[in-house]
Structure formats: structure tokens, C-alpha cells
């Protein structure tokens, strides 16, 4: 929005042409999202408190969490407002990737909003049923996957449409350009062609999987938001490099025309996330809720697909991955032992993994900061794949 205004003003005042630089607009998006979050955070918390939209805490969880009962939740709405506003103000709104990521983020946020609303307003502890939630996640994920299958390898919106029509008219057998291949980090020329169907399936799994992974991690004060900020910021670097033909050629990564604009969106995530952390840090004044966690995870997954860094996302988001695996292992082992021995048994004291450490006597704040440190190391390791090949 403001980019178009600056471009119009630059015709007469050359100084406004500076806003054409992605790096400047990324900084401004960070500051805008940060300011919105810090300014409107207190009023949102007061509003949620007045509406008695409080968190229900598991009775079988860590005893220290019982004191959090009633803490305002659904604070993720502040994240969506901050990210959406900053993106609309500073991003190039003619860019196809900006709209895809923004719509996916808002779509998953809408799912989380309904789930949270049913839990805390209608006092329905189940919220959306697992089947209903997964159905809507799958619908949005599949639509996004189909759109990205032709948008990512295309040079323009017109070419993306041509790729789609060629695929349909070709009996769904037409392949995709090399930009859509699955890249293996640390290797110069190792990439696997996915084909249209393979790309769609992988993209769907990445988007839906990352969304639920962040949601499962969001169980302690500040635990999910800081890793999301770190991973989002790193993806912004990947987006900037992939969108620049010179950098992409030098770093031996696919050049994705238009991907650089996602740097602005990633910067907005960083600003909004830091503002939210101001109120979500221990002891939390507000919780993110599904509305924020599902949206952030879907956004990170979608951006990773666009910049062709799905495996790197798996590395940098290692905390999210381990948290998810701990739940899957715990549930699977419990069901297996109950069927085999008539009594369910557990591997972890409690899942997700951060609760395992808390139940074992580690303070919540220590668990959170240590998970942050692990994420920092993983993000740096992920960024090293840009050069170490």
C-alpha cells in the first residue's frame, strides 16, 4: 500500500525511491508490527480479561501451571493484526507469494479462533473436534499446495497460469521446472524432482505439519513465540537470497522471482512476535492460543516451501519437531501397551517434551530459555547451509 504511494511520489521526489528496497521495507515492517503489538497489547489483554476469555489448564499437568488458570488467551489475534497490518502497509501487494502466505496465515488463524472461541466462550473443553479441525486444515493446505505448485516455478502470474493449464490439458502428466525440486542441504547439485503431485503432497504435509507442531509447542510462557521469531527471521534471509538472481546463483540455490518480497512478511513476524513476547514472557499476561500458534506454524511452512527449504525448516524448527514427536511417541506407545498388556504405559513423564522436564523438577523458565538456546543453534546451523555445500 505505502509502496505504491512511494512509487507515485518518486516520480517527482526522487528520495521516495528508497522505499523500493526490500531491506528498508523489512525494517519498517518490523518496527510497525512491533509498535502495533506493544501499543495495543494492554488494551487487548484488558478486553480479554473483561470478557473472561481465560485459559483452562490441564488438571493432570505440572502443578505449577494450575496458577495460570484464567489467564487471558486468544492473544494470537494481536499477532495476526500486527503481521497483517505491517504486511499490507509495506509489502508489494502485486506479489503473488505475499497474498498466498497472508491468506494461509489468516485461514489457519480463523480455524484456531473458532477452536479457542468454543473452548473459552462456549465452555466446550473439546473446542473443534479433531476431525473437523483437520478437515479445515487440509482444505486450506491443499488449496495452498496446488497454488504453490505452479506459482513457485513460474516467473510471473501469467506463467503460473500457463503451467497449470498445461498440466490439466496434458492429462495431469506435465512436470515442473527445476525450481520446484526438493533441495538437499549441504550438497551442491543434489535435488529430487517431485512432479506436480509430489510437490502438492509435500507442501500439504509441510504446511499442516508445521502448523500443528507450533501449536503443540505452545504450552509454556514464551516457549513457542521466540523459536517462531528466530525461524521466521532466518526464512526471511533465505527469501531475500532466493529472490535475488545474483545471490541465488552465487549460493547455488533456486532463483524464485518474487520470493524476496517475503522478507517483509518475515520481518513482520519478527516484530509482532517480539511485541507479543513482551506480554507472553514468564509470568505470561496473555497466551497465544490456537489462533496464533496454528497461523504462525502455517506461515512458516508456506514460506519454507516457496524458498525451497523444507528440509532446512525441519532442521531450524527442531524444537517444534521434537515436541511433536514426543506426543506421537507417547500416544502410540500408550495405545500399544494398553492393547498388549491391558494397561497403558508411558515413555515420558508427560508430553509434549517440555512438560516432561517440568514434571521432573526443572523450572518452567529454565526449560523455555534452554529451548530458545537450542533453537538459536539450530537456526545458525540451518543458515550455514547457504554456504556450506
Amino acid at each position: 500500500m505505502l509502496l505504491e504511494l512511494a512509487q507515485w511520489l518518486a516520480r517527482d521526489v526522487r528520495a521516495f525511491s528508497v522505499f523500493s528496497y526490500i531491506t528498508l521495507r523489512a525494517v519498517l515492517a518490523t518496527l510497525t508490527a512491533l509498535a502495533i503489538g506493544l501499543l495495543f497489547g494492554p488494551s487487548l489483554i484488558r478486553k480479554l480479561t473483561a470478557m473472561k476469555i481465560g485459559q483452562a489448564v490441564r488438571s493432570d499437568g505440572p502443578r505449577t501451571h494450575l496458577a495460570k488458570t484464567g489467564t487471558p488467551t486468544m492473544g494470537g489475534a494481536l499477532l495476526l493484526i500486527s503481521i497483517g497490518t505491517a504486511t499490507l502497509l509495506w509489502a508489494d501487494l502485486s506479489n503473488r507469494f505475499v497474498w498466498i502466505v497472508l491468506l494461509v496465515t489468516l485461514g489457519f488463524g480463523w480455524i484456531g479462533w473458532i477452536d479457542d472461541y468454543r473452548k473459552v466462550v462456549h465452555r466446550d473443553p473439546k473446542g473443534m473436534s479433531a476431525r473437523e479441525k483437520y478437515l479445515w486444515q487440509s482444505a486450506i493446505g491443499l488449496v495452498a499446495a496446488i497454488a504453490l505448485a505452479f506459482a513457485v516455478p513460474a516467473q510471473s502470474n501469467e506463467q503460473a497460469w500457463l503451467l497449470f493449464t498445461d498440466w490439466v490439458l496434458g492429462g495431469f502428466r506435465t512436470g515442473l521446472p527445476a525450481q520446484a525440486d526438493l533441495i538437499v542441504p549441504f550438497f551442491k547439485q543434489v535435488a529430487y524432482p517431485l512432479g506436480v503431485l509430489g510437490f502438492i503432497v509435500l507442501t500439504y504435509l509441510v504446511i499442516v505439519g508445521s502448523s500443528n507442531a507450533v501449536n503443540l509447542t505452545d504450552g509454556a510462557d514464551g516457549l513457542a513465540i521466540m523459536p517462531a521469531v528466530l525461524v521466521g527471521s532466518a526464512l526471511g534471509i533465505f527469501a531475500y537470497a532466493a529472490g535475488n538472481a545474483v545471490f541465488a546463483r552465487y549460493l547455488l540455490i533456486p532463483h524464485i522471482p518474487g520470493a524476496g518480497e517475503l522478507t517483509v512478511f518475515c520481518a513482520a513476524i519478527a516484530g509482532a512476535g517480539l511485541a507479543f513476547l513482551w506480554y507472553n514472557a514468564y509470568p505470561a499476561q496473555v497466551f497465544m492460543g490456537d489462533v496464533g500458534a496454528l497461523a504462525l506454524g502455517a506461515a512458516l511452512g508456506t514460506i519454507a516451501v516457496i524458498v525451497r527449504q523444507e528440509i532446512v525448516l525441519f532442521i531450524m524448527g527442531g524444537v517444534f519437531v521434537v515436541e511433536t514427536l514426543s506426543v506421537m511417541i507417547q500416544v502410540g506407545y500408550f495405545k500399544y501397551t494398553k492393547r498388549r498388556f491391558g494397561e497403558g504405559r508411558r515413555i515420558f513423564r508427560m508430553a509434549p517434551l517440555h512438560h516432561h522436564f517440568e514434571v521432573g523438577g526443572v523450572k518452567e523458565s529454565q526449560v523455555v530459555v534452554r529451548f530458545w538456546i537450542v533453537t538459536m543453534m539450530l537456526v545458525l546451523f540451518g543458515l550455514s547451509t547457504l554456504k556450506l555445500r
Side-chain angles (χ1 to χ4, degrees), residues 213-236:
V214 174
N215 193 35
L216 287 172
T217 306
D218 183 34
D221 297 353
L223 178 58
I225 189 60
M226 192 59 185
V229 168
L230 293 171
V231 175
S233 300
L235 286 175

Side-chain angles (χ1 to χ4, degrees), residues 55-290:
Q55 178 72 29
V57 178
R58 293 170 55 179
S59 58
D60 60 340
R63 298 185 62 84
T64 55
H65 283 217
L66 296 177
K68 301 181 181 183
T69 302
T71 301
T73 188
M74 298 178 71
L78 181 64
L79 284 168
L80 297 185
I81 293 172
S82 302
I83 294 171
T85 303
T87 300
L88 292 175
L89 285 176
W90 297 112
D92 180 1
L93 300 184
S94 65
N95 185 285
R96 60 190 183 280
F97 296 130
V98 169
W99 282 109
I100 291 175
V101 175
L102 190 58
L103 291 175
V104 169
T105 303
L106 295 177
F108 275 78
W110 170 74
I111 296 173
W113 175 272
I114 294 177
D115 188 34
D116 286 337
Y117 192 83
R118 290 182 183 178
K119 288 178 180 176
V120 300
V121 177
H122 292 174
R123 304 301 177 185
D124 182 358
K126 295 182 179 180
M128 293 179 72
S129 66
R131 179 176 298 180
E132 182 183 6
K133 184 187 294 186
Y134 184 69
L135 175 65
W136 283 111
Q137 287 178 321
S138 297
I140 297 174
L142 281 175
V143 171
I146 294 171
L148 290 174
F150 305 101
V152 168
Q155 303 292 315
S156 63
N157 296 339
E158 293 74 16
Q159 188 181 3
W161 177 251
L162 288 176
L163 287 174
F164 174 72
T165 55
D166 288 345
W167 180 61
V168 174
L169 296 176
F172 307 104
R173 297 177 181 177
T174 307
L176 292 175
Q179 291 95 326
D181 293 351
L182 176 64
I183 298 175
V184 179
F186 298 112
F187 294 92
K188 290 183 179 180
Q189 297 177 339
V190 179
Y192 295 98
L194 297 171
V196 175
L197 293 179
F199 186 98
I200 291 173
V201 171
L202 177 64
T203 300
Y204 163 80
L205 293 175
V206 171
I207 294 176
V208 176
S210 58
S211 175
N212 286 294
V214 174
N215 193 35
L216 287 172
T217 306
D218 183 34
D221 297 353
L223 178 58
I225 189 60
M226 192 59 185
V229 168
L230 293 171
V231 175
S233 300
L235 286 175
I237 296 175
F238 280 101
Y240 185 78
N244 187 294
V246 176
F247 290 163
R249 188 182 307 112
Y250 173 71
L251 295 170
L252 301 176
I253 60 176
H255 172 47
I256 312 295
E261 202 63 32
L262 291 177
T263 307
V264 178
F265 187 91
C266 292
I269 290 179
L274 290 175
F276 183 78
L277 181 61
W278 185 273
Y279 304 106
N280 186 237
Y282 182 86
Q285 298 173 256
V286 65
F287 295 141
M288 189 188 307
D290 286 7

Side-chain angles (χ1 to χ4, degrees), residues 58 60-62 65 216-217 219 223 322-332 334 346-359:
R58 293 170 55 179
D60 60 340
H65 283 217
L216 287 172
T217 306
L223 178 58
V322 171
E323 291 274 71
T324 303
L325 289 176
S326 69
V327 173
M328 296 172 63
I329 293 172
Q330 184 88 322
V331 172
F334 185 87
R346 295 175 173 83
I347 296 178
F348 304 103
R349 300 184 185 96
M350 186 178 179
L353 187 62
H354 61 269
H355 285 325
H356 168 79
F357 293 114
E358 288 184 78
V359 173

